[in-house]
Amino acid sequence: MLNFKNKKMKYTEGMLREDALKGKVIVVTGGGSGLGKAMTRYFLQLGAKVVITSRNLEKLQNTASELEKETGGEVLAVACDVRNWDEVEVMKQAALEAFGTIDVLLNNAAGNFIAPTERLTHTAFDSILDIVLKGTKNCTLSIGKYWIEHKKPGTVLNIVTTYSWTGSAYVVPSACAKAGVLAMTRSLAVEWAKYGIRFNAIAPGPFPTKGAWERLLPGDLAEQFDMKKKVPLRRVGEHQELANLAAYLVSDYSAYMNGEVVTIDGGEWLQGAGEFNMLEAIPQEMWDTLEKMIKAKKSK
Ligand code: HXC
Ligand code: NAP
């Protein structure tokens, strides 16, 4: 039992008990950088063995040795372009040879950049669909078939975005692909539940990473469009907050959660959606006058 007496809890700290993922083998696509790296770090701290995979082996190996040193956990770095079915199959075999099993698949790898859609070549559009949707399909089908054939339970966690359901201008290939991943999450949550395989998704709002910020807010766009202003809580996400949620969703504590998408965005997408949310701009002192005006109309 953890003793939380006299301990002030912070969202920048780990949340689960120390051994919450003990013995679990987790494959994290895109685990060498950004949010994938942050989630990998926390999984290791909670006792998991993690396979990190992406296209850049040197980056993966650096991350693996950094995190092994930091956490004392075991990391296997495997180069794998998730767009390529054969590479995914080889990555799966490497994971099984190293750790004997796979318990969890975290589909986190993604590609994205901002562009007016009419400027995209058809192959540029494909490059995003292929990484996000086809890559998630390849890893899910490959590892899912292994679980089903060997009668092993499994857990899949997919990282989507809040524009998976709203859509978004200027990142149309990403929006289409993430919508597809969300559909896959909900569809297979039902279809593969009979095999003991759970599917959930996380929809993060803005969590600054080098990969995302260089492609989505290049140059001075980060200052021009301060992401904090889009969030009712007036801040961006901390990587540990996302890692806490991900660890819960891949752990046995969430055993009854299946087919869910959990938004973690400080209220960002709802701020954009609510019909009258623009009234936030009205100063508090004006509300007395407005109330009088409204009531005066009602009594006539
Ligand atoms: C127009 C572009 C472009 C741009 C690339 N292309 N950038 N077109 N505007 N800014 C075109 C290229 O000209 C090429 O077209 C095609 O896209 C593929 O580009 P390549 O560089 O050849 O592809 P590749 O090396 O495979 O790189 C894939 C990539 C790259 C997606 C383009 O950005 C990448 O490696 N990304 C991985 C990491 C990443 O994107 N992380 C951010 C995730 S953030 P042709 O015509 O030659 O085929 C995210 C969250 C969003 O998803 C939510 C935030 C709140
Ligand atoms: P990131 O660091 O750029 O992560 C993307 C990862 O995907 C990289 O490690 C990259 O590694 C890997 N990748 C790209 N193409 C690949 C391919 N073909 N095969 C295998 N791996 C590939 O960006 P991030 O911000 O951490 O994003 C992580 C996830 O969070 C993504 O799913 C993203 O859509 C989602 N997300 C992020 C935010 C945010 O604010 N940061 C918000 C909402 C959702 P290589 O280049 O080495 O291949």
Side-chain angles (χ1 to χ4, degrees):
M1 274 278 282
L2 283 181
N3 181 6
F4 287 120
K5 232 168 126 188
N6 300 328
K7 187 163 174 356
K8 191 168 174 339
M9 278 169 251
K10 288 199 213 120
Y11 59 78
T12 48
E13 288 173 355
M15 177 182 85
L16 294 185
R17 52 187 271 178
E18 271 168 25
D19 59 354
L21 297 177
K22 199 172 167 68
K24 284 207 190 289
V25 176
I26 304 180
V27 172
V28 180
T29 69
S33 65
L35 303 180
K37 182 176 171 183
M39 291 185 278
T40 297
R41 174 184 291 110
Y42 192 42
F43 296 165
L44 292 165
Q45 287 168 348
L46 295 173
K49 294 173 187 169
V50 185
V51 180
I52 56 173
T53 178
S54 82
R55 296 164 299 180
N56 182 337
L57 184 60
E58 198 188 334
K59 180 173 84 179
L60 292 170
Q61 284 169 337
N62 288 338
T63 297
S65 54
E66 179 192 327
L67 294 184
E68 281 188 337
K69 236 178 266 160
E70 195 182 317
T71 65
E74 253 184 285
V75 186
L76 177 72
V78 187
C80 164
D81 186 330
V82 292
R83 291 174 282 197
N84 184 329
W85 173 260
D86 293 338
E87 289 184 41
V88 170
E89 285 282 279
V90 170
M91 180 272 289
K92 175 179 74 177
Q93 284 313 325
L96 292 173
E97 270 160 40
F99 295 138
T101 191
I102 297 170
D103 300 294
V104 175
L105 167 64
L106 170 49
N107 285 306
N108 163 78
N112 202 358
F113 53 78
I114 49 166
T117 307
E118 68 277 14
R119 289 173 59 98
L120 297 175
T121 61
H122 67 283
T123 47
F125 204 122
D126 283 347
S127 79
I128 305 299
L129 290 181
D130 285 352
I131 300 170
V132 177
L133 183 53
K134 198 167 144 191
T136 301
K137 175 272 291 179
N138 282 342
C139 294
T140 304
L141 201 56
S142 173
I143 292 173
K145 279 171 184 280
Y146 159 77
W147 284 329
I148 294 165
E149 188 191 335
H150 294 271
K151 297 191 166 43
K152 282 176 184 275
T155 301
V156 178
L157 178 61
N158 293 327
I159 306 299
V160 295
T161 59
T162 53
Y163 58 65
S164 305
W165 54 90
T166 62
S168 176
Y170 300 101
V171 285
V172 171
S174 172
C176 296
K178 294 287 193 182
V181 173
L182 184 55
M184 196 190 309
T185 308
R186 290 172 168 155
S187 306
L188 287 177
V190 174
E191 191 181 326
W192 285 2
K194 60 181 172 285
Y195 301 121
I197 303 172
R198 287 193 298 130
F199 283 78
N200 289 297
I202 296 178
F207 282 74
T209 63
K210 188 170 181 291
W213 259 230
E214 278 176 353
R215 293 171 176 94
L216 302 171
L217 297 164
D220 67 357
L221 288 194
E223 284 100 68
Q224 251 191 75
F225 302 110
D226 183 359
M227 296 303 264
K228 291 198 284 294
K229 292 194 181 136
K230 293 178 73 223
V231 180
L233 290 177
R234 293 291 178 262
R235 68 172 177 88
V236 291
E238 290 281 340
H239 289 195
Q240 184 63 47
E241 295 179 279
L242 183 81
N244 282 339
L245 177 58
Y248 166 67
L249 288 173
V250 303
S251 79
D252 296 336
Y253 289 120
S254 63
Y256 202 48
M257 284 190 73
N258 188 29
E260 188 54 84
V261 55
V262 183
T263 301
I264 178 164
D265 73 343
E268 183 200 29
W269 87 269
L270 285 169
Q271 172 160 304
E275 184 81 44
F276 286 97
N277 288 353
M278 75 285 190
L279 299 186
E280 187 65 27
I282 292 184
Q284 286 300 320
E285 58 275 15
M286 238 178 101
W287 281 109
D288 282 343
T289 316
L290 291 171
E291 186 178 334
K292 271 186 209 135
M293 284 164 68
I294 296 163
K295 285 183 173 168
K297 288 277 176 211
K298 203 173 129 197
S299 59
K300 277 178 197 161

